[in-house]
Amino acid sequence: MSQLSLYQETVQSRFLLGTARYPSPASLEKAVKISDCDIVTVSLRRERLSFSNNSERPGQSFWSLIQKIGVKVLPNTAGCFSVQEAVTTAHMARELMGTSWIKLEVIGDEHSLHPDVFGLVEAARILTEDGFSVFPYTTTDLGVAERLLQVGCQVLMPWASPIGSGQGLSDVAALEAMRASFPNIPLIVDAGIGRPSQAAEAMEMGFDAVLLNTAVARSGNPIQMALAFSKAIESGHLAYQADCMEPYKGGMASSPIIGKACLG
């Protein structure tokens, strides 16, 4: 696959993998490695990361595992319901994890985990001014996307459907419109992907990468599922580059007529 540039950094893989809810540390490590992903997301609030020498502290073993795996970390503000909460969490993540990258989530509805787009734009503005490279979890609303770019975001992460739902691409037309409206902006489909075929479909539409967690972590075999998604994402991207054929109403013969017997 061709390389992907995100905030002036180049990565080889177009698969971003979450690190929550795996059945064991070993399954997480093996899933990340077999996926060949370059970036994993880590929730500061959920994992309660600690850098204390006291191994009893929550999150220490988790963070040690992530460091051992050796991939780039994209901290996220999962679980934040206000601008102040998200901004504070982002600053803590930068201090603890040593990166200015942040996946920004500002949740507006606890049931659907729908982004609070007003809070999202404001938090993105503040964090960009503070030197962060912001990866905003957003909807497919084109107006919101434009405002996120105006405040300094260089990447957009529209959802396919609600977080953890596995519904796949719930509004294909909206996703296609977003891709067409921002042809030069890296677009990463984030949330709602449940099957490798759905990830492949998003990549065939021209999206630059896919970020997911639950579909791998909560599957019957996270390691095998991580591999399946890795291959699907690569396949979808290759298909997009090859320029997929457009649907045709009716049948179209694939065999040439040269040399066909004339029975007239």
Side-chain angles (χ1 to χ4, degrees):
M1 280 195 295
S2 59
Q3 297 177 334
L4 174 62
S5 179
L6 302 170
Y7 285 102
Q8 291 75 57
E9 291 196 36
T10 300
V11 295
Q12 302 294 328
S13 174
R14 292 170 182 267
F15 184 12
L16 288 72
L17 186 59
T19 56
R21 299 183 177 181
Y22 286 79
S24 69
S27 64
L28 166 59
E29 181 178 4
K30 291 177 181 178
V32 172
K33 287 182 176 179
I34 202 169
S35 73
D36 278 333
C37 70
D38 294 324
I39 302 169
V40 298
T41 61
V42 175
S43 169
L44 180 70
R45 291 170 60 86
R46 288 179 180 158
E47 304 303 343
R48 300 179 183 176
L49 299 180
S50 165
F51 287 80
S52 166
N53 290 327
N54 181 359
S55 61
E56 299 296 322
R57 295 285 296 276
Q60 181 65 46
S61 59
F62 173 82
W63 179 241
S64 296
L65 174 61
I66 296 300
Q67 291 176 306
K68 173 187 172 184
I69 294 172
V71 293
K72 186 169 183 61
V73 174
L74 175 60
N76 72 48
T77 63
C80 292
F81 287 81
S82 71
V83 172
Q84 185 58 53
E85 201 176 9
V87 169
T88 299
T89 301
H91 278 276
M92 291 173 61
R94 181 164 66 179
E95 180 179 350
L96 293 174
M97 301 185 205
T99 178
S100 62
W101 279 22
I102 191 74
K103 178 191 169 187
L104 180 61
E105 295 182 27
V106 183
I107 302 302
D109 177 70
E110 189 171 3
H111 174 68
S112 68
L113 301 181
H114 194 292
D116 171 2
V117 294
F118 303 102
L120 180 67
V121 172
E122 177 62 11
R125 180 190 65 78
I126 294 170
L127 291 173
T128 299
E129 291 176 356
D130 286 344
F132 284 87
S133 299
V134 178
F135 293 68
Y137 162 64
T138 184
T139 66
T140 52
D141 186 295
L142 299 182
V144 173
E146 186 62 49
R147 283 162 178 76
L148 287 167
L149 297 176
Q150 289 172 358
V151 300
C153 295
Q154 297 179 24
V155 176
L156 297 173
M157 303 180 72
W159 68 352
S161 50
I163 294 174
S165 69
Q167 296 175 19
L169 312 184
S170 61
D171 193 337
V172 171
L175 287 166
E176 289 177 337
M178 194 169 198
R179 179 69 283 178
S181 298
F182 304 104
N184 300 315
I185 301 298
L187 299 181
I188 302 172
V189 173
D190 176 21
I193 297 293
R195 297 175 181 272
S197 57
Q198 297 165 353
E201 183 181 3
M203 296 302 292
E204 287 174 0
M205 291 166 58
F207 282 86
D208 296 284
V210 170
L211 191 161
L212 58 90
N213 186 167
T214 307
V216 169
R218 306 300 288 175
S219 69
N221 186 328
I223 300 161
Q224 186 170 324
M225 189 61 74
L227 179 61
F229 269 107
S230 178
K231 291 182 177 295
I233 290 167
E234 180 178 7
S235 176
H237 181 62
L238 289 172
Y240 173 72
Q241 290 183 312
D243 192 11
C244 298
M245 67 173 288
E246 294 297 322
Y248 176 76
K249 292 183 178 180
M252 182 182 297
S254 58
S255 301
I257 62 172
I258 297 175
K260 181 179 179 179
C262 179
L263 303 177

